[in-house]
Amino acid sequence: MASEPVSTVFFLSDFGTQDEFAGVVHAVIAARAPGTTVIDLTHHIPPFDVRAGSHTLVRAVPHLGSGVVLGVVDPGVGTARRGICMEVAVRAGGTLFFVGPDNGLLVAAAEAAGEAPITRVVELARDPAPDRGATFDGRDLFAPVVAALCSGTATLLQLGEPIDPASLARLPGGVVEQGRLHDGRTCLRAEVTWVDHFGNLQLAATVADARVAGMPAVGSIELAARIESGREYLDGLPHSLVPDGVQLRCVDAFGALERGEFGIIADANGHLAVVAAEASAAHWLNVVAGELLVLAW
Amino acid sequence: MASEPVSTVFFLSDFGTQDEFAGVVHAVIAARAPGTTVIDLTHHIPPFDVRAGSHTLVRAVPHLGSGVVLGVVDPGVGTARRGICMEVAVRAGGTLFFVGPDNGLLVAAAEAAGEAPITRVVELARDPAPDRGATFDGRDLFAPVVAALCSGTATLLQLGEPIDPASLARLPGGVVEQGRLHDGRTCLRAEVTWVDHFGNLQLAATVADARVAGMPAVGSIELAARIESGREYLDGLPHSLVPDGVQLRCVDAFGALERGEFGIIADANGHLAVVAAEASAAHWLNVVAGELLVLAW
Amino acid sequence: MASEPVSTVFFLSDFGTQDEFAGVVHAVIAARAPGTTVIDLTHHIPPFDVRAGSHTLVRAVPHLGSGVVLGVVDPGVGTARRGICMEVAVRAGGTLFFVGPDNGLLVAAAEAAGEAPITRVVELARDPAPDRGATFDGRDLFAPVVAALCSGTATLLQLGEPIDPASLARLPGGVVEQGRLHDGRTCLRAEVTWVDHFGNLQLAATVADARVAGMPAVGSIELAARIESGREYLDGLPHSLVPDGVQLRCVDAFGALERGEFGIIADANGHLAVVAAEASAAHWLNVVAGELLVLAW
């Protein structure tokens, strides 16, 4: 079965944009598969931060049509870690291919996009390059594969040998735990999975998680504590870095908050987010991705 | 009357590029209107700075062909502020649509582009999204509208109800005032509307304003004072933050200046700009956008 | 002879992306040559750094297909410096045009791309613009030329008068010198031509230079000294800014290094690079582009 050519590529990396890395990948695809539309999701994933890249892809995939997701956050480039391509039938119809390293970057997004468990995965075959290092698989391995899919010159199974989906590298999910504080209040401990450009703090907890935990949808929630990544904490007596708590008003729009006020909102991905009025909640609460927030009511 | 499909989108926002925001908007347009060219004007408008976004669009529109301008600097997203689409017949021929929030971001650019006052504006109809917040109109409201215009599946009037152009939100223009200093010299007080990547200071005053005020086109002009945004000042005795003044040599090219010298130039948009030789005038004069500069001769 | 239309533009500048500069250049090309694919190599060349721009283009050209390279790092804009277009038959087949200022930015890349010395160069003819400055040749001169090449409305010789390739402005090459330290060890002094987004230090020395100098390909090399740009040094007794030297382990992959270890690697361009394990060698060794590193064995 010949693959139908696909015409759109969704490209994410930690390449930054100060160098020519991302542009050269575009050029390789344009030369081999003219007419392909390559959309940059972002190239500003923090260097080597595979988990941040994975979260970003999970957020993006519900909004992509058919095409190829090219993800390159790849500290293991040049080592024995595999390059992979997955083919996924998308819930909304159509097909998404995922091309990149087998380090956990792609698999959560492929599962989020697909209507069924992943079954079609290959390990990409590779040719060694003469007289230059094997440090740029984005250009030398993945871009040619993407171009082959886009130009229809290769099917999935022509790209390499099938591998067992159970063997794919995976990352731990974000922490979401319901609990009870020593004062008897119910609490939700949730990891900050993303600090966006505006300083909004996305939590691993979804609107559905909040509903299950019985979190009120009106009034205020208390941000009772902030727990640094990797810190121990006692249940009911968390190591509090938010002195005396911070009130988060439940709102539907950033603009409903007064200057100086913090809020909690259902964000555009269906997750809870801690936000501030035309300001950076991350800055004012001194929170970074990977920390846990304890919300109490 | 069916709109003719348009093929180019000019996209400006304060989304930054560290997250997937802009990329996802591209993806929504690509999925619904394949073959559309989406050009990023910039996504680095300072967060929430509607005025900076408006200035940027005003500078850009003379150089755009037909297409859709998508502008999203939108602190009021999710509130009652309207989403709008304007259709403008462009001076140079062709049509530009402007899609975004009704907060003053788009109207000055639409007026600058058009050969006549704005007459065709609609308030965009919207569908509420289930189980996720209404915090990302760029993706959920504006991008589908842009795609409908580009694919020709909707005309302006199918996008929403017509509204009165006089009801559109507007921003104050940049300050340009001619005056006289206490020492008898003529002066021009002009707002710094833009500090660019190189640190050049664009003034609200145009080359034509300078001509009317009698500013010499050769020799040097004195930068007599800098007035911080919102500061009071006395006419003829401005609150000077530029001790003893700074000489600005009238030049036609950055390269005409010596190292360490400041200049005044007619910039690429026909405005006056205060510049330095291969250096940032903003840095060395300690000036930010929104301040007034007082030029004297 | 009519040029065949070309469909891809490779665009590099020092414009940054906070302003609309790069987007407006895209818009001018899209309006005049619809359907052209414009690929941004990078717009984050440090302001006015013609040499960094030249290095970046040299690295990129082996991976570009046919098309037009548009390079704008142009501190001399508006002065008497010429605008040029070169046409080069590419080693891999096809044609690359190079459009931009005659200040050394383009010529090394054109020579690297071509299978023969440059013979076809013209000085671009220009029309003065009324009532605005001549400060934005990227938009007003180069983009229209690029569009003319892409739409096939002009051949090289219709863009301006031929000029002598020997008259083109050139930059000095990167320093690579073999030598001997006072302790008898062989050394290679090589300029750091590029610090990339990850902090890897690319040297002017290639894998072939290392082979000629007899540098071992296994074990460790000593980074014996760092010489600041413009500093004097005595052969055999370099002004050392690396106290007691630093060991660089010869590796094939970043991932082969332990945390805290430095390495030397053949990079993706066939050059030597000094690297660190998931960290910035530039930061930890306190090295910037333009310095010399002395490698000894």
Side-chain angles (χ1 to χ4, degrees), chain B residues 26 82 86 101 110 148 152 165 170 193 215 233 274 289:
Chain B
H26 277 251
R82 303 180 291 193
M86 294 181 274
R170 284 163 183 280
T193 45
M215 181 184 290
Y233 65 94
V274 175

Side-chain angles (χ1 to χ4, degrees), chain A residues 14-24 26-28 30-31 43-45 47-48 75-79 131-136 139-140, chain C residues 8 10 39-44 56 59-60 63-65 194-198 207 211 252-256 265-270 278-279:
Chain A
D14 64 349
F15 290 165
T17 51
Q18 75 174 68
D19 309 302
E20 74 283 10
F21 299 133
V24 165
H26 277 251
V28 170
H43 298 296
H44 295 287
I45 299 298
F48 321 122
V77 63
T79 67
D131 227 17
R132 68 174 186 226
T135 59
F136 195 178
R139 179 190 75 192
D140 298 331
Chain C
T8 312
F10 309 99
I39 292 173
D40 296 305
L41 292 175
T42 181
H43 298 296
H44 295 287
T56 305
R59 293 193 306 267
H63 309 285
L64 311 181
W194 178 36
V195 177
D196 75 14
H197 173 63
F198 300 98
V207 172
R211 207 179 285 136
D252 290 327
F254 304 115
I265 199 167
D267 79 1
N269 308 105
E278 288 194 30

Side-chain angles (χ1 to χ4, degrees), chain A residues 33-130:
Chain A
T36 302
T37 297
V38 182
I39 292 173
D40 296 306
L41 292 175
T42 180
H43 298 296
H44 295 287
I45 299 298
F48 321 122
D49 193 341
V50 179
R51 199 148 179 250
S54 171
H55 287 318
T56 305
L57 289 175
V58 168
R59 293 193 305 267
V61 287
H63 309 285
L64 312 181
S66 287
V68 183
V69 173
L70 169 60
V72 191
V73 181
D74 193 11
V77 63
T79 67
R81 76 93 188 87
R82 304 179 291 195
I84 55 173
C85 180
M86 295 180 275
E87 183 178 350
V88 171
V90 176
R91 288 174 204 279
T95 300
L96 272 176
F97 293 88
F98 290 80
V99 174
D102 176 26
N103 62 5
L105 177 66
L106 304 172
V107 67
E111 287 177 341
E115 58 188 0
I118 297 168
T119 56
R120 294 168 59 79
V121 198
V122 300
E123 177 179 352
L124 299 172
R126 61 165 66 232
D127 305 312

